């Protein structure tokens, strides 16, 4: 069933509490990548232009110590947001109390207030009912637009919307549209490309996509666990020995659907390579580490992608951060970019940065803003921050 969107709410003159995803990368007090702030603008602009009084709240980083608090002060985001749109942004350095309440009561239609980092409150990540009740008391309506956080049942993502009339914002609607289409109603052939650092992070996704997709391509470090499962040596490559049994099951379950690398780039040392070679995957020498797919594999994967009408990609094909080991990931970007009439979706933070870094970002139909959330969605899991939202009437 479709979820209610902000356009289904009457927001004029109402105080609207909006959970945004302002968990942005930052350094020395400056936001270094404002993608997530930009992604929230359609919702914020809709609300301000329709006469809502807008309260924005989000987490920023992990908070365990006072030092973490100082490092993850939301005021830096207020500055970045102010520069991106026309309404003034009032930052309140509090997550509760008189200063916050006065500022909320002082809001006029079309004005924006950003409160301090939600995780300054220890009750946030515990979905503390008292905290949820307090935040809900500040507003008339709740809008969820933090796709990157909807896989977590926190006070700001689940506690508050359970207590207020609610809806999903434009970013939520967009994410559900593309991820939902890929998973539930893909134009076929549907090819999934999986890679990245760990098999263990992605067991659920591999399992579900082996059922839902027409082909599953596996590269990146996770491929070496599969190569080990086939009985070959993998040298010093990142292998999860406790996942070899799962990999064997996937190989049996996947049959021809599962496409694995046939050659690999290897090196003696990731940080200071003195030897870089390419070998077939059944001939990996001891003492060398697999760090990218090889050229035969790029050709094989490109061929497997040919004719695809839906592509979901999660996880780089190699250590793309280093130019020497980036060819595989670039190759996949180029192969997907060249597909005519294809809905291509990236879910995964590092995959998204790779596509951006290599100049392919605008070639993809949709780049998800939620790494963990998009993975859990593609696993077929219910996301608590979505489940709590009201269905369309
Ligand atoms: P995403 O964020 O897109 O979900 P992951 O976080 O799972 O992707 O994995 C990204 C990381 O995987 C990158 O930092 C990359 O360097 C690493 N990686 C990819 N292939 C290998 C490999 N063969 N050996 C070690 N690390 C790898
Ligand atoms: Mg990652």
């Amino acid at each position: 069933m479709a979820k209610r969107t902000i356009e289904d709410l009457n927001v004029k003159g109402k105080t609207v509490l909006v959970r945004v995803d302002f968990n942005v990368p930052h350094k020395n007090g400056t936001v270094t990548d404002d993608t997530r702030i930009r992604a929230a603008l359609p919702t914020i602009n809709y609300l301000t232009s329709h006469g809502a009084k807008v309260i924005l709240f989000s987490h920023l980083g992990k908070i365990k110590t006072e030092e973490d608090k100082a490092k993850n002060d939301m005021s830096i985001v207020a500055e970045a947001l102010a520069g991106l749109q026309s309404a003034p942004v009032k930052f309140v350095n509090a997550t509760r109390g008189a200063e916050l309440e006065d500022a909320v009561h002082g809001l006029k239609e079309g004005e924006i207030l950003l409160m301090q980092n939600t995780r300054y409150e220890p009750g946030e990540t515990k979905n503390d009912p008292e905290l949820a009740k307090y935040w809900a008391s500040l507003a008339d309506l709740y809008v969820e637009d933090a796709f990157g956080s909807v896989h977590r049942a926190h006070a700001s993502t689940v506690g508050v919307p359970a207590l207020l009339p609610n809806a999903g914002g434009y970013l939520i609607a967009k994410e559900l549209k593309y991820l939902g289409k890929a998973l539930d109603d893909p134009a076929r052939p549907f090819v999934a490309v999986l890679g990245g650092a760990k098999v263990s992070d992605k067991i659920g996704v591999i399992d579900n996509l082996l059922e839902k997709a027409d082909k599953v391509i596996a590269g990146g470090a996770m491929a070496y666990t599969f190569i080990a499962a086939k009985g070959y040596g993998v040298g010093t490559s990142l292998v999860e020995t406790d996942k070899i049994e799962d990999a064997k099951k996937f190989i049996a379950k996947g049959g021809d659907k599962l496409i694995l690398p046939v050659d690999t780039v290897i090196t003696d040392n990731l940080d200071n390579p003195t030897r870089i070679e390419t070998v077939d995957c059944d001939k990996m020498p001891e003492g060398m580490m697999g760090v990218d797919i090889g050229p035969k594999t790029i050709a094989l994967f490109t061929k497997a992608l040919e004719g695809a009408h839906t592509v979901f990609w999660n996880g780089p094909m190699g250590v793309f951060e280093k130019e020497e080991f980036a060819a595989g990931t670039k190759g996949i970007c180029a192969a997907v970019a060249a597909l005519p009439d294809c809905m291509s979706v990236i879910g995964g933070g590092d995959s998204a940065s790779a596509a951006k870094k290599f100049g392919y970002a605008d070639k993809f139909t949709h780049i998800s803003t939620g790494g963990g959330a998009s993975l859990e969605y593609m696993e077929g899991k219910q996301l608590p921050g979505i489940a709590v939202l009201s269905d369309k009437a």
Side-chain angles (χ1 to χ4, degrees):
M1 182 120 183
K3 293 291 174 184
R4 204 148 68 187
T5 74
I6 39 173
E7 293 177 19
D8 299 316
L9 298 175
N10 181 5
V11 301
K12 170 100 180 123
K14 301 279 170 57
T15 303
V16 186
L17 186 54
V18 188
R19 177 57 160 97
V20 282
D21 181 2
F22 285 169
N23 183 30
V24 291
H26 58 96
K27 211 175 177 178
N28 305 327
T30 313
V31 174
T32 51
D33 181 349
D34 63 3
T35 308
R36 285 179 162 172
I37 306 178
R38 288 176 188 277
L41 293 179
T43 292
I44 296 171
N45 291 337
Y46 174 89
L47 291 170
T48 53
S49 65
H50 284 76
K53 304 169 184 176
V54 179
I55 309 172
L56 303 175
F57 69 152
S58 171
H59 79 281
L60 176 61
K62 289 198 169 78
I63 307 290
K64 291 206 179 87
T65 60
E66 285 303 313
E67 227 173 34
D68 293 338
K69 277 192 175 180
K71 206 175 94 193
N72 293 297
D73 188 318
M74 192 60 87
S75 62
I76 61 166
V77 178
E79 282 171 38
L81 173 63
L84 289 174
Q85 47 85 60
S86 50
V89 178
K90 179 169 175 52
F91 176 72
V92 177
N93 182 18
T95 46
R96 66 166 81 218
E99 189 196 343
L100 177 63
E101 290 156 26
D102 289 347
V104 168
H105 295 137
L107 274 176
K108 296 192 185 70
E109 291 184 10
E111 289 186 347
I112 303 171
L113 177 160
L114 173 63
M115 72 164 87
Q116 186 50 279
N117 190 343
T118 53
R119 290 199 187 164
Y120 277 28
E121 292 282 346
E124 156 73 333
T125 54
K126 300 187 188 91
N127 190 10
D128 173 36
E130 183 274 325
L131 178 62
K133 208 170 144 196
Y134 174 72
W135 278 339
S137 75
L138 299 172
D140 305 307
L141 302 169
Y142 172 93
V143 169
E144 173 60 272
D145 216 24
F147 184 72
S149 298
V150 290
H151 57 314
R152 310 206 187 281
H154 292 171
S156 66
T157 56
V158 167
V160 182
L163 300 173
L164 285 176
N166 62 62
Y170 286 117
L171 179 60
I172 292 287
K174 189 168 152 199
E175 294 277 3
L176 293 181
K177 175 177 152 192
Y178 290 113
L179 293 171
K181 177 87 183 138
L183 194 65
D184 301 322
D185 181 28
R188 294 188 183 274
F190 169 21
V191 182
V193 184
L194 302 176
K198 287 192 196 156
V199 182
S200 47
D201 285 350
K202 311 210 171 161
I203 292 274
V205 181
I206 304 171
D207 200 23
N208 198 33
L209 291 180
L210 277 176
E211 273 161 39
K212 302 264 177 154
D214 299 295
K215 288 176 197 169
V216 175
I217 292 171
M222 70 151 72
Y224 304 99
T225 302
F226 283 96
I227 293 164
K230 289 210 240 173
Y232 301 120
V234 291
T236 55
S237 308
L238 280 190
V239 167
E240 290 169 83
T241 39
D242 59 331
K243 295 292 174 270
I244 292 179
E245 282 312 307
D246 289 292
K248 283 184 186 166
K249 278 185 218 144
F250 291 140
I251 290 172
K253 175 176 169 174
D256 293 345
K257 246 191 186 186
L258 179 64
I259 301 165
L260 296 169
V262 290
D263 63 347
T264 174
V265 177
I266 53 175
T267 185
D268 58 335
N269 187 308
L270 187 56
D271 297 316
N272 300 300
T274 60
R275 284 173 66 194
I276 299 177
E277 291 159 29
T278 302
V279 295
D280 286 347
C281 289
D282 56 358
K283 296 189 186 63
M284 290 181 70
E286 276 179 33
M288 300 278 278
M289 177 184 187
V291 283
D292 194 10
I293 54 174
K296 285 190 228 170
T297 304
I298 298 177
L300 176 74
F301 288 1
T302 301
K303 186 99 192 120
L305 281 161
E306 248 168 47
H309 288 299
T310 304
V311 171
F312 175 75
W313 175 35
N314 174 284
M317 295 293 102
V319 184
F320 73 94
E321 295 90 339
K322 292 197 173 265
E323 187 52 35
E324 304 96 300
F325 313 131
T329 305
K330 278 186 198 167
I332 288 295
C333 285
V336 176
L339 295 173
D341 198 18
C342 176
M343 183 185 90
S344 51
V345 178
I346 300 181
D350 292 294
S351 315
S353 355
K356 281 182 205 152
K357 181 173 174 192
F358 303 137
Y360 288 98
D362 61 347
K363 302 286 186 209
F364 286 83
T365 314
H366 178 64
I367 300 183
S368 178
T369 51
S374 65
L375 265 192
E376 290 199 19
Y377 189 93
M378 296 309 279
E379 276 181 49
K381 277 192 190 160
Q382 232 201 19
L383 306 176
I386 298 295
V388 70
L389 301 178
S390 301
D391 292 326
K392 257 192 197 300

